């Protein structure tokens, strides 16, 4: 029998101290390590200290010294996300929230606050809300997506290819996902520097984050009202017209989550893959020599530098045990993606190649597994491949140790990736592909993976030689995703 350990969110004995033998005395209340502040500048190192001290599940402190469990083990994380009878994502169950320990101005309140979205729901309500999202994923034309991503990449590269230098974060990785996501949602006219800045800013928790968040929400409010009045063949319209009967608030909140989560995750993924290509000669040599494909390089990055390092949070629905720790009802647990991916029980040698292995935690798992992961992979696969094809001689323009990161408890974001290359001529950007025939939705596809698609029935129109290259998201062009098929009648 495993000895009972200290429960960071238990309140029945406020005098409880740290576990016996804990070397973290004096670090924070109860001797627990903090996941914020000067002691947590390198969260990866903090997680390894916690693993050494407590094992696969460790007690720690969030901002304002709010207690939390950190799930560090790969198997323990998978068990948690796959056990809806024991753990849920409804923040209203969290003891510190119910007891008022978490104040309204808490820095992580955007993560804590309950929202009418499938990520916070369970049971029939979860099926209703998620069904409106995953049903749509089963009809997506992934060939059309990839053509669009390629055109958007060519357009972005055209903006800097003649200069011979660029910042592949600010000029590429932060723009490509937003161009694609605005097209998917049905608001290509909103894509631009302002939307990119707002999405990045509202995820930072900066002084202007609330203003930026309001800008994004206002754009989604306009989209919701427009599509409620006149539905089209885009993501927003299908959420609105789905038989699940989502309210305007539910539509807007799901659009917000889809936009911001997909944008942040894919921007980080693009930057991480490109950084490794530019800084690891062996990695790049494998790509050039054909020993590794770009999709395999993306999967390796999802192991080593996942776009989100942790996800807040799961909550114990009953008293239970995880990783040898006693978890009380109402305790909160961080999904430890980054520490779980480097669990020494799973990866004793972190330098070993993980090609062909998709068992990483980057997209979570269980009922709340990311439904749009194939879109994220497509953006990274096609974007990186198209970029390296255009500028194959690209080189890092600074020393690797000069690269800077912006870190938070949820992720680590590369600030800049300066590069140089021989100047290149601009290239024509293809016109939009032809509309493909409508495909019935697959009601059995809850994960949102790419189904089998019919071939387009008409060829793509040719571009005249003297035509200028169109932008990837011009205002008046009907987008690729406006031609997606109608979504199925419910899950």
């Amino acid at each position: 029998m495993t000895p009972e350990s200290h429960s960071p969110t238990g309140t029945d004995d406020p005098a409880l101290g740290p576990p016996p033998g804990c070397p973290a005395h004096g670090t924070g209340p109860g001797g627990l390590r903090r996941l914020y502040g000067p002691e947590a500048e390198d969260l990866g190192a903090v997680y390894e200290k916690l693993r050494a001290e407590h094992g696969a599940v460790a007690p720690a402190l969030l901002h304002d010294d709010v207690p939390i469990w950190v799930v560090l083990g790969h198997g323990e994380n998978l068990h948690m996300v796959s056990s809806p009878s024991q753990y849920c994502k409804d923040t209203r169950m969290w003891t510190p929230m119910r007891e008022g320990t978490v104040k309204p101005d808490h820095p992580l309140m955007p993560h804590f606050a309950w929202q009418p979205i499938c990520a916070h729901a369970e049971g029939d309500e979860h099926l209703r809300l998620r069904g409106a999202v995953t049903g749509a994923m089963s009809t997506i034309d992934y060939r059309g997506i990839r053509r669009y991503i390629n055109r958007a990449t060519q357009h972005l590269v055209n903006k800097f290819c003649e200069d011979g230098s660029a910042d592949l974060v600010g000029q590429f990785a932060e723009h490509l996902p937003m161009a694609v996501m605005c097209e998917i949602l049905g608001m290509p006219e909103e894509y631009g520097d302002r939307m990119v800045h707002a999405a990045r800013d509202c995820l930072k928790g900066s002084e202007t984050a609330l203003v930026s968040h309001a800008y994004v929400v206002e754009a989604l409010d306009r989209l919701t009202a427009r599509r409620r009045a006149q539905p089209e063949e885009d993501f927003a319209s299908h959420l609105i017209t789905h038989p699940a009967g989502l309210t305007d608030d539910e539509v807007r909140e799901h659009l917000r989550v889809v936009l911001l989560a997909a944008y942040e995750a894919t921007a980080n993924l693009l930057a991480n893959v490109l950084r490794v290509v530019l800084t690891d000669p062996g990695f790049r040599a494998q790509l050039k020599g054909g020993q590794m494909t770009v999709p395999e390089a993306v999967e390796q990055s999802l192991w080593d530098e996942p776009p989100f390092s942790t996800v807040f949070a799961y909550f114990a629905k009953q008293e239970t045990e995880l990783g040898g720790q006693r978890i009380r009802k109402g305790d909160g647990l961080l999904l430890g993606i980054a520490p779980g991916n480097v669990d020494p029980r799973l990866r004793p040698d972190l330098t070993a190649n993980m090609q062909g292995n998709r068992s990483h935690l980057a997209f979570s798992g269980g009922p709340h597994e990311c439904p749009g992961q194939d879109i994220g992979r497509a953006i990274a696969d096609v974007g990186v491949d198209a970029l390296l094809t255009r500028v194959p001689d690209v080189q890092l323009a600074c020393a690797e140790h000069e690269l800077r990161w912006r870190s938070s408890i949820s992720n680590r974001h590369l600030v800049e990736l300066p590069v140089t290359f021989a100047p290149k001529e601009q290239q024509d950007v293809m016109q939009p592909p032809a509309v493909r025939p409508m495909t019935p939705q697959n009601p059995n596809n809850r994960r949102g993976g790419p189904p089998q698609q019919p071939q387009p029935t008409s060829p793509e129109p040719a571009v005249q030689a003297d035509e200028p290259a169109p932008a990837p998201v011009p205002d008046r062009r009907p987008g690729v995703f406006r031609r997606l098929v109608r979504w199925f009648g419910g899950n």
Side-chain angles (χ1 to χ4, degrees):
M1 174 70 75
T2 303
E4 180 178 321
S5 66
H6 170 54
S7 173
T9 56
T11 57
D12 54 345
D13 185 0
L16 267 175
C22 174
H25 284 277
T27 302
L32 303 181
R33 293 191 179 275
R34 291 186 171 100
L35 303 181
Y36 71 98
E39 302 98 329
E41 289 184 1
D42 183 353
L43 276 172
V46 173
Y47 294 143
E48 291 313 305
K49 291 176 182 177
L50 287 171
R51 197 194 308 271
E53 295 162 4
H54 302 283
V57 179
L61 297 170
L62 297 172
H63 300 71
D64 295 346
D65 289 339
V66 175
I68 194 77
W69 291 103
V70 187
V71 185
L72 304 165
H74 186 273
E76 288 75 13
N77 274 293
L78 284 179
H79 174 77
M80 179 178 67
V81 301
S82 303
S83 304
S85 63
Q86 295 177 300
Y87 306 96
C88 71
K89 297 198 68 179
D90 188 340
T91 60
R92 295 171 297 184
M93 288 196 62
W94 191 26
T95 299
M97 283 287 269
R98 289 190 292 104
E99 297 183 345
T101 305
V102 178
K103 305 302 180 184
D105 61 349
H106 193 282
L108 297 178
M109 184 52 74
H111 297 271
F112 298 163
W114 181 87
Q115 301 161 41
I117 56 176
C118 59
H120 288 172
E122 58 179 324
D124 290 342
E125 183 66 0
H126 175 259
L127 291 175
R128 180 182 77 89
L129 295 172
R130 188 174 170 96
V133 177
T134 57
M137 298 293 180
S138 72
T139 67
I140 289 178
D141 177 4
Y142 279 78
R143 295 185 183 90
I145 291 174
R146 289 175 176 270
R147 287 193 292 269
Y148 179 80
I149 296 167
N150 182 69
R151 290 194 300 276
T153 298
Q154 303 305 333
H155 176 77
L156 290 170
V157 175
N158 276 348
K159 290 184 176 182
F160 57 74
C161 65
E162 295 176 317
D163 299 334
S165 64
D167 167 22
L168 293 185
V169 171
Q171 293 178 269
F172 184 71
E174 291 185 347
H175 274 265
L176 181 60
M178 183 57 72
V180 176
M181 293 312 300
C182 283
E183 183 79 357
I184 290 174
L185 266 59
M187 55 178 200
E189 71 282 352
E190 298 286 357
Y191 166 65
D193 291 341
R194 180 70 181 93
M195 182 59 76
V196 169
H197 171 78
R200 175 62 61 202
D201 188 48
C202 70
L203 294 167
K204 291 178 185 175
S206 66
E207 293 181 357
T208 57
L210 290 178
V211 175
S212 295
H213 184 265
Y215 178 86
V216 174
V217 170
E218 287 169 5
L220 297 175
D221 270 331
R222 291 193 298 270
L223 175 63
T224 301
R226 197 162 60 243
R227 292 298 183 258
R228 179 74 73 181
Q230 186 175 354
E232 296 189 14
E233 293 293 331
D234 53 41
F235 195 90
S237 297
H238 290 302
L239 281 179
I240 289 169
T241 60
H242 193 278
L246 273 63
T247 66
D248 282 357
D249 285 346
E250 289 172 337
V251 169
R252 183 191 62 247
E253 289 305 300
H254 281 89
L255 291 176
R256 182 181 63 84
V257 171
V258 167
L259 176 65
L260 295 181
Y263 169 70
E264 176 74 3
T266 311
N268 289 344
L269 178 58
L270 279 168
N272 292 339
V273 173
L274 289 170
R275 177 188 62 82
V276 175
V277 169
L278 293 168
T279 59
D280 187 337
F283 197 88
R284 189 166 186 171
Q286 289 186 71
L287 276 178
K288 285 188 173 181
Q291 292 91 1
M292 179 186 292
T293 65
V294 171
E296 288 171 337
V298 169
E299 293 303 318
Q300 184 71 39
S301 179
L302 289 169
W303 275 103
D304 298 334
E305 190 74 43
F308 288 109
S309 50
T310 63
V311 170
F312 186 89
Y314 281 75
F315 307 96
K317 299 168 69 174
Q318 60 193 28
E319 185 165 322
T320 185
E321 184 176 302
L322 185 65
Q325 302 283 20
R326 177 190 171 192
I327 310 297
R328 291 191 174 97
K329 180 179 179 180
D331 280 3
L333 305 94
L334 280 180
L335 169 60
I337 295 174
N341 276 359
V342 296
D343 186 342
R345 297 172 300 176
L346 179 74
R347 297 180 67 189
D349 179 8
L350 294 180
T351 65
N353 196 301
M354 302 299 286
Q355 286 187 32
N357 189 333
R358 284 193 172 191
S359 61
H360 52 72
L361 301 169
F363 297 113
S364 184
H368 294 284
E369 183 178 11
C370 174
Q373 57 186 274
D374 291 300
I375 293 176
R377 283 188 171 102
I379 294 173
D381 293 349
V382 178
V384 170
D385 187 55
L387 173 71
L388 295 179
T389 299
R390 286 288 301 277
V391 285
D393 58 336
V394 63
Q395 299 289 332
L396 191 64
C398 67
E400 184 177 353
H401 70 268
E402 294 177 333
L403 294 175
R404 296 180 297 115
W405 302 82
R406 184 180 297 110
S407 299
S408 70
I409 194 171
S410 61
N411 63 33
R412 202 167 75 110
H413 178 72
L414 190 61
V415 176
E416 292 179 305
L417 191 60
V419 297
T420 58
F421 49 86
K424 306 291 190 299
E425 293 183 357
Q426 293 193 16
Q427 291 186 6
D428 286 341
V429 179
M430 293 174 59
Q431 284 189 347
V435 179
R436 69 182 180 87
M438 296 177 69
T439 305
Q441 297 192 36
N442 177 5
N444 297 317
N445 189 334
R446 295 187 183 274
R447 181 174 174 272
Q452 296 297 319
Q453 302 290 342
Q455 296 291 334
T457 56
S458 57
E460 297 183 5
V463 180
Q464 297 298 321
D466 57 351
E467 267 190 73
V473 285
D475 291 350
R476 297 181 180 178
R477 176 176 60 79
V480 170
F481 289 91
R482 296 185 184 186
R483 298 183 296 274
L484 293 182
V485 297
R486 295 296 295 178
W487 303 31
F488 82 95
N491 249 354

